[in-house]
Every structure is written in C-alpha cells, then in structure tokens.
Amino acid sequence: MGFISTARVKSPWIMHFETGSCNGCAIEVFAALTPVYDLERFGILNTGNPKHADIMLVTGCVSFRAGRVLRNLYHQMPGPKAVVAIGVCALTGGIFHDCYNLAPGVDKVIPVDVYVPGCAARPEAIIAGTVMALDRLAGKAGPPNIAPGEPRRGLEEGRVVEIAPGNSDK
Amino acid sequence: MIDNVVPVTRETLLAEAQRLADGGQRLISATAIDQGEYLEILYHFDKDLKLTHLKLEVKPGEEVPSISRVYFCAFIPENELKDLFGINISNIVIDYQGKFFLEDEAPRTPLLKSKPPEQGDPREVAR
Amino acid sequence: MPGRTVIPFGPQHPVFPEPLQLRLTMEEERVIDAVPALGYMHRGIEQLAQTKDYAQNVFLMERVCGICSFMHALCYCQSVESLLGIEAPPRARFMRTIQAELGRLQSHYLWLGLVADACGFESLFMQAWRNREMIMDCQEAVSGSRVTISTCAIGGCRRDWDDGVLQELTRRLDDVERSMDAIAPVFFEDPLVKQRTVGAGIITKQEATLLGAVGPVARASGIVEDMRRLGYAAYDELDFKPVVETSCDSYARMIVRLRETFQAINLIRQALKKMPAGEVLNKWKGTPEGEAISRVEQPRGELMYYIRSNGGKNPERLRIRTPTLSNIPSLVKMLKGSRLSDVPVIALSIDSCISCTER
Ligand code: SF4
C-alpha cells in the first residue's frame, strides 16, 4: 500500500450525521467515541467537516428535510468514502416506517456500505461496523451486506439512479 | 375528564389570553383535535401546578387570531397547528407559512382526518 | 450603519449532536435576531400513534426520544392509567422513580459533557462521558438495556427486580457518586468554564414566565417549578426540594443541573430504602374512554401528554408537548444581543433535544 492509502486506513476521520429519529443511536455513537468504548484507539477521529471525513456514520430514519442535507454532505465528502448506517431506523425506518415525513432508510438517499442493526445499536456493534468500513476504504472488500450483482438505488440531484456495487465513489 | 375548561370564541380569545397573562399564567401548549365538522383547539395554561384550558371551536378555513402578541412563545404551537391541521391563524409573530415542520415532499395537513385530494403518495415520488 | 448579514448556524454543526438550524441576523459580531428553523427531525409520531393500539404505543413513545425514553413511556402510561382509572402498585411506583432518576442522571451528564466540549475543554468532556458510562451500567443492571429500556408498562413495570439487582445498584451508586465528587468542583469553580458561562444568555424571572420556560431554564431564573411536586410515581413519599438558582445565566443553568445530579442520587437512595415488596404489574382490560393529561418532570423540564379516546382500539388523539419546544422561545430571547462566539454555549444551555421537539 502506498503512503496515502496506509494513512487513510490507519487514521480515518469520521463524521456523524443524525437524520431525524429518536436519538438513541446518535447518543450511542458518541458513547462509542468516548473513553470506555474508545473508537479513537483505532486512530479514528471525529470531525464536523464533511471535506475532512472518510467515513460517514448516519443514524436515523431520513426525514425529507434532513435527507436533503445528507445528500449534500455526502457529495461534499472526498472519495474513497464509506457510509455506515446505524440502527434499524437508518436501515428501514424501523418503528417509524409508516410515518409520513420520511424516506425510510438511508439507502433510499445515498449508497450505504455497512448496515449496523439494533434499536438502539450497541456501541460494540457500532465499533464493529466502523471497522468493517475500513476494509471498504482499503478497497479490499465490496459492500458486505449487498448480495452480489444486486443493483443499489440512490437518489442523486432529485432523480433515482442505479449505483453499481463497488462503484459508489464517483 | 379534564376540568377548568373555559369556552372561548374567536372574538374573546385574545382578551381571555391577556387576562391569563396578567394573572401570571404560563402557556404550556395548544392542542387541536379533529372532530369532523369542526376543529377543537385547546390552549393549556399552568400556574402553581394548576391547569387552565381555553377551548375554541373553529370550522375549517375560519380565521383564528394569534395569541403570540400576548404570549410570544405561542408562535411555536400555532405554527404547528398551521402545519399539521391547516388552521388559518393570522398575525403570528414569526410565521413559517406552513413550512415549520413539513418539507415540500411531505403531505399537507397530515393530521386532518378528511384529507384534501392529493397527487399520489409523496413518498413514492421521493423515491 | 454597519451592514447586516444572516448566518445560518447549523444544521450540521459540531456542537449540536442533532440537526437544528438557527438563522442569526448579525450586525458585525452581535446577534440582532435569531430565528430557529426546525423540521429536520419531524417524523409524525402523533399521527402514527393514532394507528396503533394502547399497548403498542408504549414502545413507540419510548422512541420519541432516546435520551429520556423512560420518561416518555412513564408519562404515556400514566395518562392511559388515569383514563382507565387504575394505578400502578406501590412497588412499581418506586421502581419507576428510581429509573426516572437514573435517566435524569445520565441525561445531565451527557449535557455536562457537551457543555465542556463547547467551552473547548476536551478532557472534561471525556471525563463527564466516562462518568456517564458508569450510570449507564447501573441502568443496564436494572433493565438489561442501555437506551430504550422498555421496562414501563401500562399498569406498572414489566419485570420485578430481585435482591441481587438491588444490591448491585446500591454498590454501583457509591462508585457513581465518588466519580461525581471528583469532577463536580471543576464545573463549579474552573475559571475556564466560568468565563464562558457566567453572564451569557440572561433571562429574567418575568421574561421566563411569559416565554413559557420550563425545567432547569426556569429554575435557573428563580422560578420554583418542578412537576415532581405533583407527586406522581413515588415522589410524594420522598423528601426533596426543587433546585433553584437566581443568577439567570448559563452558569446558573449549569449549576442547577449539577445540583440535580446529586439530588438524583439522594432520591434513588431514599427510594431504595423505602421500597415496599409486592406486585409490580396491575392487569387491565377494556378500552379507555375520555380525555386525560399527564405531566412529568423530564431532565429538560415539564413533559405533557394529552390523550383523548372515544372507546376505540386506538387513541383518537395523542398530543406530546416536550420541554425543548417550550424553551426555544427563551433561546431566541437569550441570543438577541449576544456575541457570535457565545452562541454555541448559549444554544446548548437550554439542553435542546430536537428529536423530542419535533416528534
Ligand atoms: S434504531 Fe431505535 S434507538 Fe436507534 S434511532 Fe432508531 S428508534 Fe432510536
């Protein structure tokens, strides 16, 4: 591995964005960053700036207004990048699936690489999910939770586009 | 059942609110309930752990005066009523024009039982 | 006259764990006007609740907010209980009190950490969150889960605790208190924290009433207002006084919360001592009818549930009024006239919880 890709995998910066749900998972993401669980021991650093981030942790069932911001943030991140969806809300809308103000699931808006289930997802699971995303950054593994050959759909500039597996960085 | 309910009309609402404000009551919130023919709006007030409610009945489309000139904090529940029930509240101090909670894609007046006709399911469009 | 600029503060901002936008109208470094822009986390729970039955709604209400999830379940259960005309058994009422106070403890510690972070005091932030983990362990010991604990049910609590759980809790409480003693003086006295908070975001007693301030914001302005005095759960049998401060600024709000953490430990100890034996869940049948209001004191202030039912399977209307919604007008008032660099601390000082607010 070259210098850049080593640095990227050894010290990825993460950004957390909450897209509108009960907050339980958002708080667990913070808990995973603080001393007891200590995600930072993997060289991971939390940042608020999308242009500095390599991994985006997304929690929450995507409400329409937050979805717009989420899409913006995703497009501002430089590639290669990975997205980790945390909590059943972020996976499918979970308990809020039938609410009127959301597009249930982060993958309806942006492509997702790692899915972490749980309501709320435990900090251990969040750490495991983030470490899985490191493989994705290193280019070793394709998106783990998607069956091979299955096209993924995302929303780009308001229209639905097909995103081929492993090709979401453009 | 809740007690201490004072019925008001659209004309007397402001005066009643002013009277409660002078009495040092705190506005908790406003709740609307869809009763089919009309909408019932309850304004909840509290002083020393005792609740008082003002009850107002309005027909759809009727104009309701805002009490946010008396209680500044009323702008939040009033904008909510405007969003979720489509109640026509005039003169709110900060008026979000029905965009307080809801984005363009979201359905209008989601808490009304008799929905105005819509153009398809907005969630399908967004996908 | 200097020109005016509008700065959008948020929605993605490092000091907020959740998306909230403040549109600040600035004149050089001063904030002239602030307009909150919400709606990033609105889901429409009130509408969803009308399509689910009473028992299912307990789980939905827990997920109105992940930080104070137990309080939401408690308030909802109380409102349905008063519709049904039943009461929780005495032991369950004490269990509810203990869990509510544990929730308050962890929520206040979460906030203390965030405020330390906003002051630029990273080590204090980490330490506060480390303490919080000890409280989370207590919560896990009594309920088996960290966030949405699902122990409250209509008519009482879902599961009884045996003596082992109680001993474990008592033992852990000592550890928690020791760790709190270690960092509380920093918040009370440290010049760094004081410099950022003293005099920031003043709101007087008269203003606070008219703006509908609740919880620590109201109590920091000298208003004695604490819904626990209503005596729900077991609070009528415990001995406590609302914590009130009078300096009306962000520092006072911090002190109120700090003192409440010690009060919470005290209340848990009292409850553990007085807890009677017996049943924990009353069975109930039928469909409730009528309307009811239930109020509890959340970590952030007064939470109100209004429920109306016409005898059907689902509630006809469920209205949730959360404390942050009441404190946002105060925030707007506080921000006027402040400096841009103080905005993060002031905005945090109301301890906004956006997912509650927008439901
Ligand atoms: S998955 Fe559950 S705990 Fe997590 S944000 Fe959603 S509702 Fe809350």
Side-chain angles (χ1 to χ4, degrees):
Chain A
M1 274 194 289
F3 173 70
I4 297 282
S5 47
T6 312
R8 194 180 286 133
V9 177
K10 294 291 176 199
S11 178
W13 286 22
I14 61 167
M15 187 181 75
H16 166 237
F17 187 58
E18 159 71 39
T19 56
S21 65
C22 96
N23 228 340
C25 291
I27 298 303
E28 293 294 69
V29 169
F30 273 90
L33 285 165
T34 48
V36 173
Y37 294 97
D38 204 7
L39 201 48
E40 296 192 349
R41 75 193 129 119
F42 297 105
I44 290 171
L45 206 65
N46 189 19
T47 166
N49 187 340
K51 302 226 165 179
H52 295 174
D54 301 301
I55 302 179
M56 177 146 68
L57 306 183
V58 191
T59 54
C61 49
V62 190
S63 77
F64 289 130
R65 199 170 283 181
R68 193 159 300 164
V69 182
L70 178 64
R71 200 175 308 136
N72 261 335
L73 291 176
Y74 180 78
H75 286 298
Q76 284 178 43
M77 279 169 65
K81 54 193 166 188
V83 177
V84 184
I86 294 167
V88 288
C89 280
L91 270 46
T92 63
I95 195 165
F96 305 117
H97 185 269
D98 295 331
C99 286
Y100 55 78
N101 197 33
L102 45 98
V106 174
D107 53 6
K108 307 284 185 302
V109 181
I110 56 171
V112 173
D113 298 293
V114 182
Y115 295 80
V116 179
C119 181
R122 292 190 59 96
E124 293 92 336
I126 295 174
I127 293 174
T130 314
V131 173
M132 268 165 99
L134 291 183
D135 287 349
R136 176 90 183 81
L137 276 189
K140 269 193 276 185
N145 281 347
I146 298 256
E150 187 182 316
R152 290 186 299 166
R153 302 171 78 206
L155 205 59
E156 221 160 65
E157 307 301 333
R159 73 206 149 76
V160 177
V161 291
E162 303 271 302
I163 297 163
N167 195 19
S168 58
D169 301 328
K170 283 204 299 289
Chain B
M1 277 296 138
I2 55 177
D3 24 82
N4 240 347
V5 183
V6 184
V8 291
T9 62
R10 287 183 291 146
E11 288 77 34
T12 60
L13 173 65
L14 274 178
E16 280 291 325
Q18 186 66 53
R19 185 179 64 80
L20 292 172
D22 295 341
Q25 301 258 0
R26 172 173 65 87
L27 175 73
I28 299 180
S29 188
T31 305
I33 300 132
D34 187 356
Q35 300 280 36
E37 314 262 283
Y38 61 93
L39 287 158
E40 188 180 317
I41 307 180
L42 284 171
Y43 295 86
H44 315 281
F45 297 86
D46 164 284
K47 187 181 185 186
D48 298 333
L49 304 180
K50 272 198 74 70
L51 290 168
T52 311
H53 312 271
L54 297 183
K55 180 165 145 185
L56 175 69
E57 286 174 5
V58 290
K59 300 242 155 44
E62 273 181 349
E63 190 175 304
V64 180
S66 161
I67 60 169
S68 58
R69 308 259 160 206
V70 184
Y71 283 101
F72 173 70
C73 56
F75 82 89
I76 288 196
E78 284 181 344
N79 273 304
E80 238 181 291
L81 297 184
K82 207 168 186 170
D83 256 34
L84 305 180
F85 287 90
I87 298 174
N88 180 6
I89 300 178
S90 54
N91 278 326
I92 310 182
V93 184
I94 305 177
D95 195 340
Y96 291 83
Q97 309 290 357
K99 293 269 157 56
F100 187 47
F101 278 165
L102 301 178
E103 196 68 344
D104 290 337
E105 295 100 327
R108 301 285 98 194
T109 63
L111 273 136
L112 271 189
K113 282 178 188 146
S114 51
K115 293 260 157 64
E118 271 177 44
Q119 304 84 0
D121 183 354
R123 302 216 300 192
E124 289 306 318
V125 179
R127 273 173 223 173
Chain C
M1 196 189 117
R4 295 196 168 178
T5 23
V6 178
I7 300 183
F9 190 82
Q12 214 280 334
H13 192 279
V15 305
F16 295 138
E18 310 161 82
L20 161 71
Q21 191 180 42
L22 295 166
R23 291 200 191 112
L24 306 173
T25 309
M26 308 288 303
E27 212 176 86
E28 296 189 336
E29 279 293 292
R30 295 247 159 237
V31 180
I32 302 296
D33 199 8
V35 177
L38 302 164
Y40 292 98
M41 305 197 46
H42 179 66
R43 292 147 272 171
I45 289 188
E46 288 179 7
Q47 192 258 1
L48 192 62
Q50 294 169 11
T51 65
K52 296 199 186 292
D53 70 26
Y54 291 95
Q56 286 172 334
N57 268 335
V58 181
F59 299 101
L60 183 59
M61 290 314 134
E62 284 216 303
R63 283 159 180 80
V64 171
C65 171
I67 308 175
C68 34
S69 92
F70 181 79
M71 307 275 186
H72 279 277
L74 173 64
C75 195
Y76 170 74
C77 290
Q78 280 180 7
S79 67
V80 179
E81 279 160 14
S82 77
L83 278 185
L84 286 163
I86 59 170
E87 267 206 12
R91 186 176 172 85
R93 294 199 291 124
F94 276 88
M95 287 166 69
R96 284 176 173 188
T97 309
I98 291 171
Q99 289 174 68
E101 289 304 319
L102 277 177
R104 188 180 321 276
L105 256 181
Q106 61 96 349
S107 169
H108 280 347
Y109 261 90
L110 188 159
W111 179 82
L112 287 171
L114 290 181
V115 100
D117 195 31
C119 292
F121 203 155
E122 182 96 11
S123 335
L124 189 57
F125 162 62
M126 290 293 180
Q127 196 60 35
W129 276 70
R130 190 166 156 200
N131 286 3
R132 180 175 175 270
E133 283 302 324
M134 300 168 98
I135 306 161
M136 296 306 272
D137 287 346
C138 290
Q139 189 156 315
E140 210 173 340
V142 299
S143 67
S145 175
R146 285 169 56 91
V147 178
T148 41
I149 58 180
S150 296
T151 47
C152 200
I154 299 170
C157 285
R158 212 171 288 283
R159 205 169 43 181
D160 199 0
W161 300 338
D162 56 21
D163 288 341
V165 171
L166 295 179
Q167 276 158 17
E168 178 75 13
L169 182 58
T170 321
R171 188 179 64 75
R172 281 177 193 243
L173 269 187
D174 294 338
D175 294 349
V176 170
E177 193 172 24
R178 216 168 300 129
S179 68
M180 280 165 49
D181 284 338
I183 75 164
V186 185
F187 285 104
F188 277 121
E189 281 150 27
D190 186 75
L192 223 165
V193 178
K194 266 191 156 170
Q195 203 183 20
R196 295 296 301 269
T197 52
V198 172
I202 291 193
I203 187 150
T204 62
K205 191 171 174 178
Q206 285 78 7
E207 285 170 343
T209 314
L210 259 190
L211 291 170
V214 295
V217 178
R219 290 198 284 276
S221 295
I223 301 175
V224 188
E225 181 203 88
D226 191 328
M227 291 306 133
R228 287 178 287 178
R229 288 193 298 155
L230 283 169
Y232 64 89
Y235 287 111
D236 47 351
E237 295 174 42
L238 303 178
D239 176 34
F240 75 99
K241 266 212 202 80
V243 178
V244 179
E245 289 282 327
T246 49
S247 64
C248 308
D249 53 2
S250 300
Y251 181 68
R253 291 189 273 280
M254 188 173 80
I255 298 303
V256 166
R257 293 192 177 100
L258 259 176
R259 285 174 53 198
E260 277 181 10
T261 56
F262 289 101
Q263 185 190 42
I265 293 264
N266 181 313
L267 280 169
I268 296 173
R269 290 231 172 90
Q270 284 185 42
L272 281 172
K273 250 193 222 115
K274 288 194 181 165
M275 193 151 101
E279 279 292 296
V280 295
L281 189 60
N282 276 337
K283 289 269 175 308
W284 60 281
K285 259 223 294 286
T287 45
E289 204 170 338
E291 52 185 343
I293 282 181
S294 154
R295 292 190 289 167
V296 304
E297 183 74 20
Q298 249 191 1
R300 291 165 183 73
E302 167 206 43
L303 169 71
M304 183 194 87
Y305 271 57
Y306 170 88
I307 187 167
R308 168 170 307 192
S309 148
N310 52 7
K313 195 162 111 292
N314 308 329
E316 192 193 345
R317 177 88 172 96
L318 187 64
R319 164 88 171 134
I320 309 164
R321 202 302 313 264
T322 57
T324 306
L325 207 56
S326 286
N327 281 335
I328 283 182
S330 312
L331 174 63
V332 172
K333 174 75 200 13
M334 282 174 210
L335 284 175
K336 280 184 193 164
S338 66
R339 268 174 307 160
L340 183 59
S341 51
D342 284 335
V343 170
V345 172
I346 297 177
L348 265 183
S349 78
I350 67 161
D351 195 0
S352 58
C353 172
I354 307 303
S355 65
C356 280
T357 310
E358 306 183 356
R359 308 174 301 276

